Amino acid sequence: MKKVLSAITVLFILTVSAGNLLAQTTGKISGKVIDQKTSETLIGATVNVQGTTKAAATDVDGHYTLAGLEPGKYTILVRYIGYQSKTISDIEVKAGANTPLDITVGQAESKALNEVVIKATYRQQSIGALYAMQKNSVSISDGTSSEVIKKSPDRNTADVLKRVSGATVQDNKFVVIRGLSDRYNNAMLDGASLPSTEPNRKAFSFDIVPSNLVENLTITKTATPDQPGDFAGGLIQINTKDLPEQNSISFGISGGYNTASTGKTFLSGPRHASDYFGFDNGQRRLPDGFLPYNTIANGLTVQQNASLLKSISKDYNIYKNTALPTQNYQFTLGRVKDYKSGNRLGAIFGLTYRNSQTIGNDVKRQNFGFDYNDDVYKFSTNVGALLNLGYTFGKNKITFKNVYNRIYDDQFLQRTGTNSNVGSGTDVKYYAFDLLQKALLKSTLEGTHPIGEKGAKINWDLSYTNVLNDQPGQRKISYTRNSGSGEPFEANVTTLGKENATLYAKLNENSYSGAVNYSTPFKMFSQQATFKTGLMSLYRKRDYNVRFLGAIVNTSNPEITNPDFIRPIKQRPLSTLFANDVINAGVYKLDEIDGAPDSYDAHSLTNSGYAMLDNKLTDKLRLVWGARIEQFDVGVTPGNKAANGIVDQNYVDVLPSANLTYSLTDKINLRASYSRTLARPEFRELSISQYYDYELLALQQGDPNLKKSTIDNADIRFELYPQAGQVISISGFYKRFKNAIESYNSDVNSTRTITYFNSDKANVFGAEFEIRKSLDFIAPTDFLKNTTAYANVAIIKSTAYNPTDDRIFFKETKRQMVGQAPYVINGGLQHSFFNNKLNFNALYNRVGRRLSIAAGALYDGVWEAPRNVLDAQLGLKVFKGKGEFKLTAGDILNNSVTFYYDDNKNKKFDGADAIQSSYKPGANYSFAFSYTL
């Protein structure tokens, strides 16, 4: 398949390249024709270049292209039945370049008015089109475009999302919308739903998608019937770059310095050349044909035992290197061919590469008898590729979009400290070698086609997604001694537990989806209306397999258990603890914890249908309303098929919604909405599988008794658009949860267990304020006109009520909702110098303290302390705008990342509180250069 795809790409590039010479001497005009009151694209509108024979008709997306134009200034005429004709003048075309122009047209009020031609200039029309698209969105939403992304220091979509109103990011990759935890969001890529990328939580890792491949990103905060119904915080929609408007080749390179890491001593396990390309060389995996658990449990021969131990007891050396600067490379190729018939063939191919080596020095972990200091070294490689192909013919369009991304995180942890939970206390040395490989492959084939001549259209898509999460040999070893004894440390090789076993785990999930949508315009109450309906089906299949292996002292041989013999072996350094000489001497035997209860197979099938109306009740009043029906079937089966772990649920939900918009003026909207949405338990949340998290010092486990959560949502919003690209808005929202899904510190086992439960109910209400405004209102100077201030603030209050049944016990009856932040602040200042050749951008972010894990009956809840994040970027365009230098400073303040237990209940972090984890990530400074041919 890869060879075929490569051949197609090469053939396409060669074919298109034949027309490049002509394209270098002429230019083009392209864009969309849209209804100025609804922003609906218009199919079949004609666009003529006055004074020439050049003409084009808009396709099913409302897109047009006028190619082969000699450099100069032009005037175009736009006509569409039932709409006022419009001319746009002063459109400058340059050789080898595309001039983008989206055009708005208004409906004709009478046949006589149909003959009136509205006149506008290029600049007026560009501003008007941007106004219309901002103002006429169906639902309450916020987002950003590729142009804004280019001016920010953001390298992936997780960074981009931090700038969107009401959004925050946890662990640099998980997104929180309106203060609600990441599990209440849904993510879509190019119109198809994305599964969870994490093995132990419901979340999508947004650092997977590089920002330079994103065309636009939108967070929808209120539901409409044509969207999936399983979200409460927000629906995050990422669209990768579609067909290019012109041929181009661009590349970028950057290097970065981290104040906590770069140039410092970097410890790790063995390093191989393939690690720099995002792939393990296979030496850490279990060998093919490794004996199954039952055979090992029944006993091995001496030869089998030695052979298997040697195959898993590999290089335990700790290697010292110097942390290198962060490296970033990007390459994008765009090719497009315009045919005389008006058909277009285009492709975008992109590659991204990133490597970073970061150090978390002196990470504090102080809780429930533990007092540890960790040094964490992470070697990360991220490789990504995008290939989008598209063809428009007549008024039809077909695209084939492909995204692949791979993240390779090889982490080494070295821990020292004391554990007072054992006897009189023990001193501890702990080591963890942990490789995690994550990959996402997504392919989507979609088409859009007109039906008839009255604007009806049908669009469809077929999508395949594969998510891989692979841990090929997570090795953990602990050494202990009696506190203060001064004795040598001895390795814990007497018993095997999940905290010191070698973990081999692999999650593989395949998703298949298909959808078809139909829409048609018609007149209702003498106003324009649109009816839309559709069907969707999504099937997911996940396999999660795990094994826990390790070497323990062979107690069947009395000579080996003799303290004088075994003590020197236990005191060996880590590099020789499992050396071949002790394995050959029969000191160790291979042991395994049964992984069947922690392995599982899971599947789900979602079938849905919807019907909705988009009504213009009057010239100023618009109502989008309808209902969605979703049928959901989910099954989870543990590897040992334990009856208490089998999940089989099937249910149907009706999800109504209504979005009302009243346009006070051309620049002001009032919005109100209601919707019912869902939050379904993820596979991991339903599985009884246990995973020991050595950083959290806790087990993570699901609950097969979890129920779905239903959410009623209400929103109001005032929007003012002072100028194109600027906005002032005030929003209020309320959410009522039934059976909210949350995590808590379970007290069932002696080891802390983080698991899930349904709170009886929860209420969330809040307000959002957003402003993006140039400062020329202060004084009409060029300096202030080119300066834009940006801020969004969200204030949120939540109350969750714990269940009172006998199965779960809690310290408190009500509390703040898990993952919900009481406030979110984003701010920024942008300025353009020298006709946009030099750009400065400063960005600020702060999130209020939020509950990470709820308290159980014994263990307190875990809180995340607020931190201030300040970023800045200076960009200089060179070589007539084709090249750009960027100097970026990220996380300049370098505030600590702290999770803590609020022991004194004063609602802030101070010296009296125990620490789950706290460290300084370091400030980041980078220099980048990009160039477009």
Side-chain angles (χ1 to χ4, degrees):
M1 177 62 183
K2 290 182 179 179
K3 291 182 178 179
V4 172
L5 200 56
S6 299
I8 292 173
T9 305
V10 171
L11 180 61
F12 171 78
I13 293 171
L14 291 174
T15 302
V16 172
S17 296
N20 282 357
L21 185 60
L22 177 62
Q24 296 302 314
T25 59
T26 61
K28 67 174 71 171
I29 304 169
S30 67
K32 291 184 177 182
V33 178
I34 61 175
D35 185 312
Q36 68 183 20
K37 288 191 175 182
T38 66
S39 291
E40 288 289 325
T41 57
L42 301 178
I43 305 170
T46 58
V47 184
N48 297 85
V49 180
Q50 291 192 336
T52 75
T53 58
K54 294 284 187 181
T58 56
D59 63 18
V60 74
D61 283 334
H63 187 278
Y64 72 92
T65 298
L66 297 164
L69 299 174
E70 296 293 332
K73 286 193 175 182
Y74 293 90
T75 298
I76 63 174
L77 171 66
V78 183
R79 290 192 178 97
Y80 190 66
I81 298 174
Y83 284 74
Q84 297 168 331
S85 298
K86 176 179 277 191
T87 62
I88 301 97
S89 59
D90 297 327
I91 307 170
E92 185 174 1
V93 174
K94 297 179 180 180
N98 173 66
T99 302
L101 177 60
D102 290 333
I103 304 166
T104 59
V105 292
Q107 295 180 31
E109 296 179 4
S110 68
K111 291 183 178 179
L113 193 58
N114 243 351
E115 303 302 318
V116 175
V117 179
I118 306 299
K119 296 182 179 180
T121 64
Y122 173 75
R123 184 176 182 278
Q124 291 170 335
Q125 186 53 218
S126 299
I127 292 173
L130 183 56
Y131 263 136
M133 287 183 283
Q134 283 181 315
K135 184 171 175 284
N136 295 327
S137 62
V138 171
S139 58
I140 294 176
S141 61
D142 293 285
T144 189
S145 68
S146 58
E147 291 302 314
V148 175
I149 293 170
K150 286 178 184 177
K151 295 179 181 180
S152 77
D154 305 326
R155 65 179 183 272
N156 58 56
T157 50
D159 293 335
V160 174
L161 283 162
K162 287 189 293 188
R163 319 298 180 191
V164 180
S165 178
T168 61
V169 175
Q170 288 181 317
D171 300 335
N172 296 315
K173 53 189 174 184
F174 304 122
V175 177
V176 174
I177 307 296
R178 283 184 163 176
L180 294 169
S181 68
D182 51 3
R183 67 123 14 261
Y184 284 110
N185 300 326
N186 197 347
M188 301 183 75
L189 180 63
D190 292 327
S193 293
L194 288 168
S196 173
T197 56
E198 304 307 297
N200 292 301
R201 64 191 293 180
K202 182 188 184 297
F204 182 78
S205 182
F206 283 94
D207 59 344
I208 281 180
V209 184
S211 60
N212 70 304
L213 299 181
V214 174
E215 177 65 27
N216 57 64
L217 184 151
T218 303
I219 298 178
T220 301
K221 299 174 181 177
T222 61
T224 53
D226 57 341
Q227 300 167 345
D230 53 339
F231 75 92
L235 176 64
I236 303 159
Q237 300 179 76
I238 306 167
N239 291 308
T240 56
K241 293 187 176 180
D242 207 326
L243 303 185
E245 294 296 343
Q246 61 187 22
N247 295 335
S248 65
I249 297 176
S250 64
F251 63 88
I253 181 172
S254 71
Y257 174 84
N258 179 275
T259 57
S261 307
T262 307
K264 308 291 196 304
T265 299
F266 190 85
L267 304 182
S268 73
R271 179 72 56 234
H272 306 286
S274 63
D275 300 355
Y276 287 89
F277 297 95
F279 291 85
D280 178 48
N281 67 354
Q283 292 184 7
R284 288 180 248 203
R285 297 183 180 278
L286 273 181
D288 293 338
F290 197 91
L291 294 179
Y293 166 76
N294 289 335
T295 302
I296 295 172
N298 290 333
L300 301 171
T301 66
V302 173
Q303 293 79 8
Q304 285 177 322
N305 186 72
S307 175
L308 294 179
L309 280 174
K310 290 176 183 178
S311 69
I312 67 168
S313 301
K314 296 172 182 171
D315 192 345
Y316 274 88
N317 288 292
I318 299 172
Y319 295 87
K320 287 186 178 181
N321 293 289
T322 300
L324 298 176
T326 299
Q327 305 172 64
N328 242 318
Y329 306 95
Q330 299 174 349
F331 173 80
T332 306
L333 173 69
R335 286 292 181 265
V336 64
K337 174 69 174 177
D338 291 300
Y339 296 94
K340 293 182 179 180
S341 61
N343 297 352
R344 299 177 72 232
L345 177 64
I348 291 181
F349 173 70
L351 290 174
T352 63
Y353 175 87
R354 176 180 170 82
N355 179 266
S356 64
Q357 299 169 34
T358 57
I359 303 172
N361 274 317
D362 199 23
V363 181
K364 304 291 185 184
R365 305 191 194 279
Q366 303 165 341
N367 57 84
F368 298 107
F370 302 113
D371 188 357
Y372 294 150
N373 289 330
D374 291 353
D375 291 321
V376 183
Y377 306 84
K378 181 177 285 189
F379 175 98
S380 297
T381 298
N382 185 329
V383 293
L386 175 143
L387 176 60
N388 288 353
L389 305 171
Y391 183 61
T392 62
F393 53 100
K395 299 175 184 178
N396 302 273
K397 181 180 180 181
I398 293 180
T399 60
F400 183 41
K401 294 186 174 183
N402 303 271
V403 174
Y404 177 78
N405 198 278
R406 186 177 186 88
I407 294 179
Y408 181 98
D409 286 339
D410 190 9
Q411 178 172 292
F412 172 70
L413 176 144
Q414 183 173 258
R415 172 176 295 161
T416 58
T418 60
N419 179 0
S420 60
N421 293 316
V422 181
S424 58
T426 60
D427 296 331
V428 174
K429 287 185 177 180
Y430 188 84
Y431 306 92
F433 302 84
D434 191 4
L435 169 61
L436 177 61
Q437 301 177 103
K438 295 191 294 188
L440 168 71
L441 170 65
K442 183 176 179 299
S443 296
T444 302
L445 180 67
E446 56 186 356
T448 308
H449 313 278
I451 299 176
E453 300 296 328
K454 296 184 178 181
K457 63 181 177 180
I458 186 170
N459 69 279
W460 54 269
D461 65 75
L462 298 171
S463 183
Y464 167 74
T465 305
N466 175 260
V467 171
L468 175 70
N469 211 301
D470 188 14
Q471 287 181 287
Q474 180 200 77
R475 300 176 292 169
K476 305 176 291 292
I477 295 293
S478 64
Y479 286 76
T480 60
R481 70 181 180 189
N482 292 328
S483 292
S485 66
E487 299 174 351
F489 282 87
E490 294 186 4
N492 176 16
V493 287
T494 305
T495 59
L496 189 67
K498 291 182 179 179
E499 73 283 353
N500 70 331
T502 297
L503 167 70
Y504 298 89
K506 186 172 185 179
L507 181 154
N508 188 69
E509 179 173 322
N510 292 300
S511 300
Y512 309 87
S513 67
V516 59
N517 301 280
Y518 169 79
S519 64
T520 183
F522 65 101
K523 289 287 186 178
M524 188 173 184
F525 309 124
S526 300
Q527 296 286 337
Q528 189 68 33
T530 302
F531 171 73
K532 189 174 182 180
T533 187
L535 299 170
M536 186 276 288
S537 187
L538 168 64
Y539 178 74
R540 296 172 56 196
K541 179 71 172 67
R542 173 182 290 186
D543 299 310
Y544 180 69
N545 296 294
V546 61
R547 296 188 74 170
F548 305 93
L549 294 159
I552 63 172
V553 173
N554 187 359
T555 57
S556 63
N557 188 335
E559 293 182 6
I560 293 174
T561 57
N562 185 310
D564 293 333
F565 176 84
I566 197 63
R567 187 177 293 117
I569 294 176
K570 289 184 177 181
Q571 293 172 3
R572 283 190 173 200
L574 183 59
S575 59
T576 61
L577 183 63
F578 302 109
N580 286 346
D581 62 324
V582 288
I583 292 177
N584 291 333
V587 171
Y588 297 121
K589 73 170 183 178
L590 180 65
D591 195 17
E592 181 172 6
I593 301 170
D594 186 6
D598 299 302
S599 302
Y600 64 90
D601 295 328
H603 70 271
S604 69
L605 176 63
T606 306
N607 294 310
S608 58
Y610 71 91
M612 60 182 286
L613 281 171
D614 183 351
N615 291 120
K616 291 285 291 184
L617 302 179
T618 68
D619 284 343
K620 295 181 177 293
L621 190 61
R622 182 184 184 187
L623 176 64
V624 180
W625 59 287
R628 184 180 185 90
I629 299 176
E630 294 196 350
Q631 181 266 333
F632 183 70
D633 174 59
V634 61
V636 180
T637 305
N640 63 351
K641 295 183 171 55
N644 65 336
I646 295 177
V647 176
D648 186 9
Q649 298 179 11
N650 193 318
Y651 45 84
V652 177
D653 293 279
V654 179
L655 307 173
S657 65
N659 287 265
L660 187 67
T661 303
Y662 182 73
S663 299
L664 285 173
T665 70
D666 289 340
K667 296 184 178 182
I668 298 176
N669 278 342
L670 290 178
R671 296 182 184 269
S673 72
Y674 164 80
S675 62
R676 170 164 286 188
T677 56
L678 300 169
R680 300 188 181 99
E682 178 58 36
F683 293 145
R684 181 63 186 94
E685 295 170 334
L686 291 167
S687 170
I688 60 174
S689 174
Q690 286 189 341
Y691 173 82
Y692 179 74
D693 191 316
Y694 58 86
E695 293 184 279
L696 294 177
L697 299 167
L699 292 167
Q700 292 185 309
Q701 183 176 8
D703 184 352
N705 297 303
L706 279 181
K707 305 172 185 175
K708 68 176 180 183
S709 176
T710 56
I711 308 104
D712 290 299
N713 310 272
D715 292 77
I716 57 172
R717 178 160 165 157
F718 169 87
E719 299 171 340
L720 167 64
Y721 299 93
Q723 297 178 36
Q726 302 182 21
V727 63
I728 299 172
S729 69
I730 301 173
S731 307
F733 62 89
Y734 171 76
K735 297 178 182 295
R736 182 178 63 192
F737 290 77
K738 180 181 179 182
N739 297 322
I741 302 170
E742 302 185 89
S743 61
Y744 81 108
N745 280 323
S746 173
D747 313 316
V748 175
N749 303 313
S750 56
T751 301
R752 184 168 67 101
T753 301
I754 301 169
T755 187
Y756 304 92
F757 72 104
N758 290 111
S759 57
D760 283 347
K761 61 180 179 179
N763 298 308
V764 179
F765 58 90
E768 292 175 316
F769 171 77
E770 180 178 15
I771 181 170
R772 182 185 294 274
K773 181 77 175 69
S774 67
L775 300 186
D776 55 354
F777 67 92
I778 299 175
T781 66
D782 288 340
F783 181 86
L784 293 177
K785 182 179 180 180
N786 292 323
T787 304
T788 299
Y790 163 75
N792 65 69
V793 178
I795 308 296
I796 307 145
K797 171 70 175 176
S798 71
T799 305
Y801 296 86
N802 286 328
T804 56
D805 58 46
D806 296 334
R807 195 171 61 89
I808 307 175
F809 300 94
F810 294 92
K811 281 186 171 185
E812 50 202 359
T813 58
K814 64 180 183 178
R815 53 173 166 74
Q816 187 172 311
M817 198 171 181
V818 171
Q820 179 265 311
Y823 64 85
V824 178
I825 301 172
N826 282 303
L829 194 66
Q830 300 173 356
H831 183 79
S832 298
F833 302 87
F834 310 123
N835 196 25
N836 207 35
K837 292 180 180 178
L838 181 65
N839 292 282
F840 172 76
N841 193 3
L843 301 160
Y844 171 79
N845 170 263
R846 181 180 172 89
V847 181
R849 80 158 196 161
R850 48 191 169 191
L851 186 61
S852 175
I853 305 168
L858 173 63
Y859 295 106
D860 288 330
V862 178
W863 295 87
E864 181 181 0
R867 65 188 301 263
N868 300 299
V869 180
L870 180 64
D871 303 325
Q873 184 176 87
L874 188 65
L876 174 64
K877 294 181 179 179
V878 293
F879 307 124
K880 298 182 179 181
K882 293 184 177 182
E884 185 173 18
F885 290 101
K886 286 185 180 180
L887 180 63
T888 301
D891 204 355
I892 299 170
L893 303 176
N894 192 24
N895 285 177
S896 295
V897 177
T898 302
F899 292 83
Y900 70 100
Y901 298 88
D902 191 10
D903 292 335
N904 57 10
K905 310 301 180 188
N906 65 350
K907 297 186 178 181
K908 63 181 181 180
F909 173 66
D910 54 35
D913 297 322
I915 298 172
Q916 179 182 277
S917 69
S918 181
Y919 69 98
K920 288 194 171 186
N924 298 294
Y925 299 92
S926 67
F927 183 77
F929 174 72
S930 61
Y931 189 82
T932 300
L933 298 173

